[in-house]
Each structure stands twice: as C-alpha cells, then as structure tokens.
C-alpha cells in the first residue's frame, strides 16, 4: 500500500527537486566572482619599467631606482595594497577612475597600477587629465606580467596584504557597492592585526 | 495598426487553444462525450489565428515598422528583405511566437490526418496539444510580447546581429523549432494513451508518422546548424559540444530511440513502456533545451540574452510535462502487456539494446553538460567540461550502436531464421574488411588503427544493408542507415585527415599545402548594403591543374560596429579548401589561414540521406 | 556582470587590434624579443605544430563564453595561444603547458576535467550507466524468455 503511494508520488517529488535545483542554480549565478588562481600566493616575480620612465632611458637602461619596478613594490608597512589593472583604451576603466581617486586621496589606500597592453603616451595622458591614484604604475605593454597573473580582462583589482600575498581579485569596475560587499570584509580582518 | 491586429490574432489563437482544451475536458468530467468534437474546429481556429499573427509580424518587418520594439532591436532598413523575414525568429520574443505557431501547426495537422480515428482518443491527444499551445501562447502574451510598442519611435533599427545575417539563419531555427515542437505529437499520443489504458488503441502506429516527421526536421535543423557554424565561424569546426548544441542533441538521441521503439510497439506490441517513456522524455528534453537557451543557466555562445525570470516559466512548464505523465505512467504500469520473447536473436532484443545505448548516451551528455553548473551551485572551484570528455564518452557508445546496425538487417522479429545466415555474414564481413582496408590505405594519412576499425565498421553497415536483400519494405531503413555510415565516415576523416597552414601573404606570394599551391593575387575593396569589406583574391591549383579562385573577406558592419571574418570555401566530394583572412600584418600583407577539410561534405550528404530515409519511412506507412 | 565581461571582450577586440600592430616596436623590460603574431607562428617540426594545436583546442579562453583557444580571437585567447605555441616549440611537455595555464587561471581553463575525486562521478558515470542498463536489459530478456516457457 505505502509502497504504491510512494511510487505514485515519486515523480512529483523528483520534479519538485529538479525545479528547486534549477531555481537555486539560476539565482546563485548572479554576482559570481571568478576567484583568482593566485589567492594565497604572491604576485609572480617580474621586473618592469614604471609608466613615468621615458622610452629612451628604458632602452639605454638608464633608469632611476624609482623607475625600475619589481615585486618589492608590494612589500609595505601599510596593511594592504591594491593592484589595479587598467588601460587607456578601456572605457570601463575610466568609469571607475573617480572611485580610485577617492580611495587613494580620501581613504589613503595604497594603489599600484598595472598598465596593460598600452602605449606610454596614451596612458600618461589619461593620468594627467583624470588624476593619478597610483603610487607607482607598472608598464606592461605586451601583457606578459598580466598573463603571468592570470588577468582575464580590464579592469581588474587585486587586494594584497603587506607582504604582497594575494587575498582577493575582482574582475570589473570598482564602485562603492562592490567595495563594501567584497573588499571591506577583508579590511576589518587586516586592521585587527 | 497592423501589430495590434497581430496581437489580437495571437490572443484569439491562445483563446482557441484554451477552449480547445477546456471544453473537451469539461466534457470528460461531466460525462458528455459529444463535447470532444469541439477539439477539431478549435485546433484549426488556433492555427489560423496564430498563422495570421506571425505573418503580420513578418509583414511589419518588411515594411520597417520600427515603432515595434522587437523590430527595432533586430532589423534595419538596409537589411535585405529575406533577412528581415528571418529576423522574425532572430530574437527571443519572435522565436517564442514561432514556437506557438509550430504547436498550432502540428495540432491542426494531427487533428486533420487523424480525423477519422477513434474520436475519444484523438480528442484527448488534441487536449494535450491545446494545453501546450495555450501555455506557450500565454507565456508569449504576458512575458515576451513581440508586438510591444516602442515610444518614442526609433528612426532606424539596431540591425540584425551580423553573424545571423546568413542564409543558414533563414532555415536553421525554424527547422529546429519544428523538430522540437514536433515531438509534442508523440508526447500527446503517449499521455492520451496513459489516460485510456484499458482500451486497445493502436496509438504507436498513429504516433510514428508524427515522430518521424519531427525527427526529420530536428535532424535537418541540427545538420543545418552545424553547416552554418562550419562556413560562418571561420575555423572550420562544425560541432563544439556547446551546452546549447548538446541541448538539441539530447532530444535527437532519445527521438531516434523512440523511432525504433515505436516500430516494435506497432508491429509486436513490444517495448510499450519504452515507447511511452521515450515519448515523454523526448519532448521534455526539447523543453529543457529551450529553457537552457533562454534562462542563461549555462554559459554558451548561443544563448539569447534574456533574464532568468523567463526561464522560470519554461521550467514550470517543463516540470508539469514531466511530473504529470510520469505519475500517470506509474498509475498505469500494471496494465501494460509485458514483453514476450521467443529468442534472444530477435529484433525486439536488438531494439532493447539500441534503446539502452541511446539512453545511456543521452544521460552521459546530460551529465557532462550540467556538471559545471553543479559545481557552481555548490560554490566549488569551477571546472569546464568540453570536447575531450564528450568525445571520449560519445564515440565508443556510437560505435556500439554501429555494431548493432551491422547485424540489424539479418535479425528478424521474434526469431531469426539462421538458414544461410552464416554464409551471408561471412560475405558481409569479408567485403567490409576489404572495403575498409582499401579506403583506409588511400585516405588514411595518419595510419591510425582506430580509423581503420571505424572504416571497416561503416563499410559493414553498408554491406549488411545491401546483402540482407534490398527489399522495398526495408528501403527506408537501408537508406537511413547508409546515411548514418556516410556521416560517420565524414566525421572520422575530417577529424583525422584535415591539414592546414597559416602564412603571411601579400600579392604574389605562394604557399603549398599537400597537393595544393595557393597564391595570393590581390586585395580588393567591397561595399555592400550593410557592410564594407577587404577582400582577398586567392588562386588555388591542385595537381590536376584546374585553378579556382577564392575570395575570403574581412567585413565591417557599421551599425552594430562589428568585424567579421568571412571564409571562402571551395567544395568537392573529397575535401573542402577553406581559406580565412586573419590579421593585417602590414600595409599589404595578411595572415592567411588555409585549411584542407577532408571529406566534410560527406557529413552533410549523410545527414540529407538520413532525412530522406525518414521521408521514405513516412511514405511506406501511407503506402500500406 | 556577465554583460560587462562581454563588453570588455568586445571593446578589447575592437580597439586592441589596430593598437597591437603599432606595439610590436615597444618592448618593456620584462620581454626582450618583439611580439610574434600568433597567426603566422612557425614551428620547428610538424609534430610540434599538431601537438600545439591539439593542446590549444583543449584549453578554454578564460574570458569568452565557451570557446577554446583556437576558436577565439579575443586578445587574451591570442596571447594564451601564442604562449602555448612558444612553450610547445621550446619542447615543453603537455602536462607542463597545462600546469602553466591552470596555476594562473584555475582549473576552469581545462576542457578535459582532471580525473580526481570530485570528477569521479563525471568520468565513471557513463561506465556505471552502461553496466546498469546492460544488467537491467539482461534481466528483462531472461525474465521474458522464461515467461513463455
């Protein structure tokens, strides 16, 4: 008796389960952030010129100490560093620029820029007209450094701790909502140290 | 004005569908069987109304009525006329209207052809179909209205996506939808049969013609989609195991099983349970496919850009279409006549094995397609499941099916007559091995054992079909199975024998690929109605000395600001010469990619042969 | 979010194409040689070319909607395709190339899932299904034969 009733209800139960699973899948898709493969690891070693260096000096290897950059830029006595991947041709990057300026100037965030597949002149022009939120900008015209980091598109922002270990990566433009939702939780953890 | 008439017509059609289900249902509930005859006029009425609706939409496209949002989003006044008509099904709303149209078309056709059969039964079939038409009609009217007005009126449309501006688009979606929807016929027959289990109704016989028709359309739709991808996308691929493609393959696999199962059910009252379940699941898989494409639940290059809420409605319809018939099935399971076998070497067992293989294949593809989504839901690190998995799973299962196809012509119903069979079988295998080896020797450049084995197997299918005696009543099977073998050979050799070369070319430069000499002659500029292009003039000469000219293009579409690379193809039976223009390297040279796609046209020819076999099968049914 | 990503991809595609032609002369400190065009890459042997193409087909473009490295023309796909070509040409093995990609972009960049505990169901599922259906069919057939006798 019970066995028959169960068999009768089985399709309905399975159907309900299926619908619930699909609905859950649909709703869980919103707001997905692809985690970086580097989380918990340092940024891969690199050497590059800073954006502000002149091309001729680069070729002649006549660079000042603050124009030759490598991983040590991420070692800091501040609790955290942001690494922002951007380019002058990327319109979405320009939409987040004001927010980056606010972070750098008002909140005192230490932001390092990674200029991706760009031309020096164009990138410098953007910084001089919109403002420069970066303490330093790594110049990566061939995208080699970005490739090593697993950068998928621009803009992307990485949150690093004071030793240069990657804590989090966000793909997309930064704004207040994103900042509060994704980055702020890390901040409170860090400042407690 | 016209869009409003069209909208009204759609409302009318949906109303007919609602009444077409409601009145007969009321008749069943209140024991007034004479009410069932209303199914017919209401089905015809729904069909006429919805047809008027979709025709008026097409008309509005051709007169550039950009006051309708849908038309403004998918058309442009510079678009050639046949693309304007094709744009009717180029977006979500229009394609849903096409679904409603297809449903009403099949309902009317089934109503007409079966008008003299058991009225009580056919009325129930039409009730199911009317319910489906009503559901989709309501969904279209309430959630995806193609006739919504745009205010302020757009001066110019957004243009049809350049990738869709192709002759393949004109036929691929309609064929596909007709195929998907066509399986609603088999579905309706099965559900109706489940509601009348005590009466001996020859429903498999009636269902088979509609299943065949749907299967033919779906085969055509899938093949056309592959062909379109092949010549449009530029890298010569024709199947990508993309979730949306898999979604169309799944009902095709179960539909093929259903086709065969219905033969057994019709002739021997065997495999009835299989026929019922396959009918239910094939249509459900069609619905699942539609859901997948429109909800955004799986990442795909094909997906319509729609929001998840629309997907939810389809999900609910899908759930009802699975749960209700399955519950009925469980209720009636004791009343189905059990399988009676006299011998293992019988066609019934063969079909049982085929059904099992096809269902396992379906489930495996389903597993691989949805596996990444499971990971996503449980917030595990995402994985991708692609071609390597699907090929590893699909190919062995397909080859097992081929083995069954080799012996099929010799196996009879109930009990096989073994007289003289040994001799025939030996002849078949000797010929198959010879043919396979010879073809392998001439065409198999990679000297792969796998290629040899598959070629022998395909030769075996052809030889069995021919040696078993080409009887008229087996003609459909022979043609369809040979079609499968030809398609398989095409797939095999295009994967193993194709070669390619990429080179920097400018006027006067020549490269060699296998037996071809390819020379870049010149670069031209082309201006067309809705794009401009740089066109390369390339001459290809093979060992026979006949030169042919190919003109690949790099197109620029100004309205949507998109660039597309349009390949140039020269087709012969043994190969396609496939050339694409790549990057511009400097002021007068381009990176040119030249491919030798071996035996690709056997794929399309084989598919057409399969479809033709299906048509013959329908013809044979009605010749009796 | 997804639409934004599609946006980057498309914009990047439109704008980087003309730019990349000019950039071949700019070399940063991190790379010495000028950038090769992936479309006319020359391999040392035909075997390496086939292996590289086969490998690139198995790797997924991280930013695109379901395309492998040979199918996609987005900048990142081309970069990664070139990296695969260069690595194979240098003599690196398939596992080395795959490892390079997954350590930077995660497992999602592999179209052939690794055979590990969390993919046992995937890889062994079909095998299990065929045994199950085979057994059920066998039972059905033997039961039906017995019936008539």
């Amino acid at each position: 008796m019970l066995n028959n009733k169960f068999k009768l209800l089985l399709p309905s139960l399975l159907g309900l389960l299926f619908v619930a699973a699909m609905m859950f899948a649909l709703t869980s898709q919103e707001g997905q952030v692809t985690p970086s493969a580097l989380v918990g690891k340092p940024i891969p070693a690199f050497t590059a010129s800073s954006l502000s260096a002149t091309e001729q000096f680069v070729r002649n290897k006549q660079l000042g100490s603050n124009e030759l950059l490598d991983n040590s830029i991420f070692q800091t006595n501040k609790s955290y560093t942001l690494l922002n991947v951007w380019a002058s041709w990327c319109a979405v990057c320009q939409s987040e620029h004001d927010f980056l300026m606010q972070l750098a100037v008002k909140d005192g965030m230490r932001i390092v820029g990674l200029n991706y597949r760009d031309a020096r002149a164009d990138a410098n022009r953007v910084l001089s007209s919109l403002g420069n939120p970066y303490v330093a900008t790594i110049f990566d015209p061939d995208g080699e450094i970005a490739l090593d980091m697993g950068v998928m598109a621009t803009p992307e922002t990485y949150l690093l701790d004071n030793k240069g270990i990657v804590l989090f990566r966000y793909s997309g433009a930064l704004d207040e909502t994103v900042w509060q939702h994704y980055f702020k939780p890390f901040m409170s953890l860090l400042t407690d140290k | 004005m016209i869009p409003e008439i069209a909208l009204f017509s759609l409302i009318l059609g949906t109303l007919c569908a609602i009444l077409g289900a409601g009145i007969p249902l009321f008749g069943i509930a209140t024991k007034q069987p004479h009410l069932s005859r209303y199914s017919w006029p209401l089905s015809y009425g729904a069909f006429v109304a919805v047809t008027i609706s979709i025709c008026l939409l097409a008309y509005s496209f051709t007169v550039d009525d950009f006051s309708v949002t849908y038309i403004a989003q998918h058309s442009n006044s510079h678009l050639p006329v046949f693309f304007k008509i094709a744009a009717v099904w180029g977006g979500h709303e229009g394609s849903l209207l096409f679904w409603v149209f297809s449903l009403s078309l099949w309902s009317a056709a089934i109503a007409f052809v079966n008008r003299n059969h058991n009225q009580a039964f056919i009325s129930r079939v039409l009730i199911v179909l009317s319910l489906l038409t009503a559901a989709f009609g309501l969904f279209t009217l309430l959630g995806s209205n193609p006739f919504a007005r745009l205010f302020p009126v757009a001066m110019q449309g957004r243009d049809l996506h350049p990738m869709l501006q192709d002759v393949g688009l004109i036929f691929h979606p309609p064929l596909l939808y007709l195929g998907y929807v066509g399986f609603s016929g088999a579905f309706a027959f099965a559900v109706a049969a489940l509601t009348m289990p005590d009466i001996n109704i020859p429903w498999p016989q009636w269902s088979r013609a509609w299943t065949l028709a749907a299967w033919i359309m779906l085969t055509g739709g899938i093949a056309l989609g592959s062909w379109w991808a092949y010549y449009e996308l530029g890298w010569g691929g024709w199947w990508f195991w993309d979730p949306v493609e898999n979604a169309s393959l799944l009902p095709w696999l179960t539909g093929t099983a259903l086709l065969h199962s219905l033969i057994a059910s019709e002739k021997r009252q065997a495999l009835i349970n299989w026929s019922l379940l396959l009918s239910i699941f094939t249509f459900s898989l069609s619905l699942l496919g539609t859901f997948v494409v429109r909800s955004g639940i799986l990442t795909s290059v094909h997906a319509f850009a729609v929001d998840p809420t629309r997907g939810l409605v389809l999900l609910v319809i899908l759930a009802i279409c699975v749960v209700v018939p399955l519950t009925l099935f469980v209720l009636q399971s004791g009343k189905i006549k059990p399988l009676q076998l006299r011998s293992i070497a019988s066609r019934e067992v063969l079909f049982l094995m085929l059904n099992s293989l096809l269902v396992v294949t379906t489930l495996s593809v389903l597993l691989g397609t949805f596996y990444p989504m499971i990971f996503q839901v449980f917030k595990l690190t995402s994985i991708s499941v692609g071609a390597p998995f699907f090929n590893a799973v699909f190919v062995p299962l397909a080859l097992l099916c081929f083995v069954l196809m080799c012996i099929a012509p010799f196996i009879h119903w109930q009990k096989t007559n073994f007289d003289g069979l040994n001799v025939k079988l030996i002849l078949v295998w000797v010929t198959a091995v010879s043919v396979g080896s010879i073809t392998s020797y001439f065409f198999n450049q990679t000297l792969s054992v796998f290629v040899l084995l598959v070629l022998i197997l395909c030769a075996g299918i052809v030889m069995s079909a021919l040696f078993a005696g080409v009887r008229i009543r087996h003609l459909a099977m022979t043609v369809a199975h040979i079609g499968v073998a030809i398609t398989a050979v095409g797939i095999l050799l295009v994967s193993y024998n194709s070669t390619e070369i990429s080179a920097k070319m400018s006027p006067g430069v020549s490269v060699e690929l296998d037996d071809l000499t390819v020379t870049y002659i010149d670069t031209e500029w082309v201006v067309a109605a809705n794009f401009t292009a740089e066109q390369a003039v390339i001459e290809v000469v093979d060992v026979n000395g006949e030169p042919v000219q190919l003109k690949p293009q790099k197109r620029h579409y100004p309205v949507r600001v998109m660039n597309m690379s349009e390949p140039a193809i020269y087709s012969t039976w043994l190969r396609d010469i496939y050339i694409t223009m790549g990057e511009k390297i400097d002021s007068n040279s381009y990176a040119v990619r030249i491919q030798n796609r071996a035996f690709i046209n056997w794929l399309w020819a084989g598919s057409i042969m399969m479809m033709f076999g299906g048509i013959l099968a329908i013809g044979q049914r009605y010749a009796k | 979010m997804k639409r934004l990503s599609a946006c980057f991809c498309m914009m990047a595609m439109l704008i980087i194409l003309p730019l990349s032609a000019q950039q071949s002369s700019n070399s940063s400190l991190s790379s010495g040689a000028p950038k090769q065009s992936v479309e006319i890459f020359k391999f040392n042997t035909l075997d390496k070319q086939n292996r590289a193409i086969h490998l690139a087909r198995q790797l997924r473009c991280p930013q695109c909607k379901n395309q492998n490295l040979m199918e996609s023309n987005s900048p990142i796909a081309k970069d990664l395709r070139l990296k695969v070509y260069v690595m194979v040409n240098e003599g690196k093995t398939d596992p080395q190339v795959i490892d390079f990609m997954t350590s930077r972009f995660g497992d999602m960049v592999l179209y052939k899932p690794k055979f590990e505990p969390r993919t046992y169901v995937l890889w062994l599922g079909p095998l299990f299904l065929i045994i199950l259906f085979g057994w059920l069919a066998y039972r059905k057939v033997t039961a039906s034969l017995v019936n008539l006798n």
Side-chain angles (χ1 to χ4, degrees), chain B residues 564-585:
Chain B
M564 307 227 54
S565 196
E566 195 79 8
I569 307 174
Y570 179 73
S571 300
T572 65
W573 280 113
L574 291 181
R575 53 124 169 262
D576 266 5
I577 302 169
Y578 191 104
I579 304 187
T580 7
M581 280 174 89
E583 284 175 355
K584 189 163 184 159
I585 312 262

Side-chain angles (χ1 to χ4, degrees), chain A residues 85 89 116 150-156 169 171-172, chain C residues 5 8-9 63 76:
Chain A
V85 184
W89 46 260
Y116 175 70
V151 169
M152 302 199 304
T154 47
E156 272 188 11
R169 182 265 302 267
S171 241
Chain C
S5 315
F8 308 160
C9 215
Q63 190 53 27
I76 185 138

